[in-house]
Amino acid sequence: MDKIRLRDKEFKLFIPEKEIQEAIAKMAARIKEDMEGKNPLFVGVLNGAFMFVAELMRQLNGPYQLTFARYSSYQGTSTTGKIHEVMPLTSDIEGRVVVLLEDIVDSGYTMQHVMKKLRNEGAAEVRLATMLLKPDALKCDLRPDYIGIEIPNDFIVGYGLDYDEMGRAYRDIYTIIE
């Protein structure tokens, strides 16, 4: 589909599924190499990262431990600036390498907050893998360790990303038409 409509907004095709999967495959190869001989805990950040996490873990194809957590700072198309821990991490992270798996990093505040929290709770190392990065939207000193695709600061949906909880199930990524 070249265009989709979600509630009151229209979106056009931006990144096809094939391009997303190629970027994730490259990222998986780097992560696999970096995690050799370590016992990492992969933490998928819900809700948005579910499709990215599924594809990345398929590409990693190893004995890795995976769990999920959920943090929220968005309402509609903009961030609220307040980070709410909706579903906390329940796995033991003491002395472990934790790799956060995020769908998109824009302001960076949520992941900066979560990474600091995990270090304070005893993680030996905290790394961040993001499917998408909006470098122009970063508002803090955060550089993900693994980046799938860098994109402009446009509002996007699909492949796990939503607009008011709609549009997550699309295989491609769409950008808003203003």
Side-chain angles (χ1 to χ4, degrees):
M1 287 180 279
D2 289 340
K3 283 187 182 178
I4 59 168
R5 174 172 280 286
L6 298 172
R7 300 196 194 282
D8 59 335
K9 307 269 186 237
E10 226 183 347
F11 299 83
K12 64 182 178 187
L13 182 62
F14 179 51
I15 307 171
E17 179 185 25
K18 186 178 189 298
E19 196 176 317
I20 297 165
Q21 288 178 335
E22 288 168 0
I24 293 171
K26 286 180 191 167
M27 186 188 308
R30 280 197 50 225
I31 292 171
K32 204 168 193 168
E33 191 176 300
D34 289 355
M35 293 301 126
E36 184 71 36
K38 298 180 181 176
N39 180 25
L41 172 65
F42 288 92
V43 180
V45 180
L46 297 172
N47 284 342
F50 77 98
M51 288 176 85
F52 165 57
V53 171
E55 184 60 31
L56 180 70
M57 297 313 287
R58 284 183 41 196
Q59 295 284 338
L60 288 173
N61 192 29
Y64 306 111
Q65 185 182 355
L66 169 66
T67 190
F68 292 90
R70 185 173 176 201
Y71 309 92
S72 177
S73 68
Y74 264 80
Q75 194 165 8
T77 60
S78 58
T79 183
T80 62
K82 292 181 181 149
I83 292 131
H84 177 63
E85 195 171 29
V86 180
M87 188 176 101
L89 185 59
T90 55
S91 299
D92 182 18
I93 61 168
E94 186 70 37
R96 293 199 60 192
V97 175
V98 176
V99 183
L100 290 165
L101 307 176
E102 178 67 299
D103 56 349
I104 188 165
V105 171
D106 40 36
S107 74
Y109 289 137
T110 302
M111 285 300 100
Q112 184 182 51
H113 171 84
V114 172
M115 291 174 80
K116 182 179 177 186
K117 181 181 184 316
L118 295 176
R119 283 187 202 101
N120 290 342
E121 291 175 358
E125 187 181 342
V126 181
R127 294 193 184 193
L128 174 58
T130 184
M131 181 176 72
L132 302 167
L133 173 68
K134 293 181 176 179
D136 296 339
L138 274 174
K139 292 184 172 27
C140 61
D141 186 22
L142 176 78
R143 187 68 189 164
D145 301 276
Y146 311 99
I147 300 164
I149 303 170
E150 289 192 8
I151 62 168
N153 192 18
D154 298 332
F155 189 79
I156 56 172
V157 297
Y159 210 85
L161 300 148
D162 74 297
Y163 168 53
D164 271 346
E165 299 301 325
M166 298 285 294
R168 291 189 196 279
Y170 287 107
R171 293 171 177 251
D172 304 304
I173 292 175
Y174 296 82
T175 186
I176 197 164
I177 300 170
E178 295 292 356

